Every structure is written in C-alpha cells, then in structure tokens.
C-alpha cells in the first residue's frame, strides 16, 4: 500500500465503515498469536470507567468491560475505533465503527465482565502479556446518547495487580 493511501485510510478510519484496506483486519489471526491469552495467569486487571459531564459523574455501571489480548488484528481494530492503539475515547455521538467481519479468534479470546453499580470491574487469573481494556460510559442526554467508549493498553507480568482508570 502506498504511503499516501495508508495515511488517507488512517484519517478516514473513524468516519466510515472500515473495510479491507487494512491488511491486519482482513488477515485472519494466527492461533499462535493469541494462544497465550487462553491460559490462566497470576495477574489481575481491575479498574473504573467514569466520565464527568457538568456536575454529574457517569460510570460504566451495568455495561461491559472487556480485556482484549494483543494481536495485529486487535491493534488495527482499536486504532480504527480510537485513533491509536494505546489509549483513547470515542464519543457516542460518532456512532460505532462498522467492520466487515469479526475474526473468530478475536471474539473467542477476549474476556468480558460487567461493571458493578459503582462502575468498577475486575479480571482475575490474567496471563502475562499485553492487553487492551475497553468499556463504555453512556447516558441519555436531552436529544441524543452522550458519553462514549474508552480504551487503554496495559501490560501485565509477574503476578501484578494492574489498576486502570478509564478514560
């Protein structure tokens, strides 16, 4: 792919349906790339997802929190949604980014939990590696859904407890 075409694709990633122009999203994940994520490990990842609007705090209470293992596909997908693959937010007013398909290994290796009433979440027995934590904080505004989705890259190793604050 030519550099100009790649740059244009990255710029437009959040504006339209994401198609096969990104090789990582159109190439299936190799099982060896995510096999490590299926194992149990000594680490934990916990956190809170919270957005403030005016004088009100909104949390992810009742929403999903996800722990996504690192892969070329995950990095490309998160960059398409959030503009990068390390930390970001996407306003609910932008609507979801649509993908042609979800790689079955992406879906089967992500871990999901629900945020509790105070907007906290926790993942136990996480193996060493790089992961992406995602969640959403959304509420009904006067004329539209407000808030958005958020993501942060984390690395866990050696029995650590990693705490995340989204966004």
């Amino acid at each position: 792919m030519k550099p100009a075409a790649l740059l244009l694709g990255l710029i437009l990633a959040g504006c339209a349906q994401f198609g096969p122009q990104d090789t990582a999203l159109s190439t299936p994940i190799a099982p060896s790339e995510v096999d490590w994520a299926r194992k149990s490990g000594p680490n934990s990842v916990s956190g809170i997802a919270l957005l403030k609007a005016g004088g009100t705090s909104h949390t992810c209470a009742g929403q999903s929190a996800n722990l996504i293992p690192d892969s070329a596909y995950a990095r490309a997908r998160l960059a398409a949604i959030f503009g990068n693959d390390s930390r970001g937010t996407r306003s609910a007013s932008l609507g979801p980014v649509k993908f042609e398909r979800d790689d079955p290994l992406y879906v089967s290796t992500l871990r999901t939990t629900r945020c509790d009433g105070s907007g906290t979440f926790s993942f136990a027995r996480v193996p060493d590696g790089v992961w992406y934590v995602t969640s959403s904080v959304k509420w009904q505004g006067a004329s539209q859904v407000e808030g958005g989705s958020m993501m942060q890259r984390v690395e866990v190793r050696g029995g650590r407890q990693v705490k995340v604050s989204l966004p």
Side-chain angles (χ1 to χ4, degrees):
M1 180 178 290
K2 294 182 180 179
L6 178 60
L7 179 60
L8 180 60
L10 290 173
I11 291 169
L12 296 176
C15 301
Q17 180 170 353
F18 205 82
Q21 64 267 25
D22 188 309
T23 310
L25 288 174
S26 60
T27 303
I29 298 172
S32 61
E33 192 177 8
V34 291
D35 280 346
W36 62 271
R38 295 183 187 276
K39 298 176 182 168
S40 183
N43 308 291
S44 66
V45 176
S46 61
I48 187 167
L50 173 78
L51 288 175
K52 293 184 180 182
T56 305
S57 293
H58 301 274
T59 70
C60 64
Q63 299 290 315
S64 296
N66 303 296
L67 193 60
I68 303 164
D70 182 47
S71 67
Y73 180 89
R75 288 188 300 275
R77 184 181 176 99
L78 294 168
I81 297 168
F82 297 103
N84 68 76
D85 65 359
S86 60
R87 185 178 184 103
T89 59
R90 180 176 176 83
S91 175
S93 65
L94 295 175
V97 175
K98 298 187 189 312
F99 297 91
E100 275 188 23
R101 65 174 183 85
D102 291 323
D103 187 294
L105 280 176
Y106 176 84
V107 174
S108 69
T109 57
L110 69 84
R111 298 176 183 204
T112 300
T113 192
R114 288 262 174 235
C115 295
D116 68 15
S118 59
T120 63
F121 54 86
S122 184
F123 297 93
R125 298 180 305 281
V126 178
D128 290 352
V130 173
W131 295 85
Y132 300 92
V133 181
T134 66
S135 191
S136 296
V137 174
K138 297 179 182 176
W139 64 94
Q140 184 60 48
S143 61
Q144 66 182 13
V145 174
E146 296 186 34
S149 300
M150 50 206 72
M151 172 273 301
Q152 182 177 332
R153 179 185 186 271
V154 296
E155 184 169 354
V156 295
R157 300 223 179 274
R160 287 185 42 218
Q161 179 181 11
V162 175
K163 295 198 180 226
V164 176
S165 182
L166 297 174

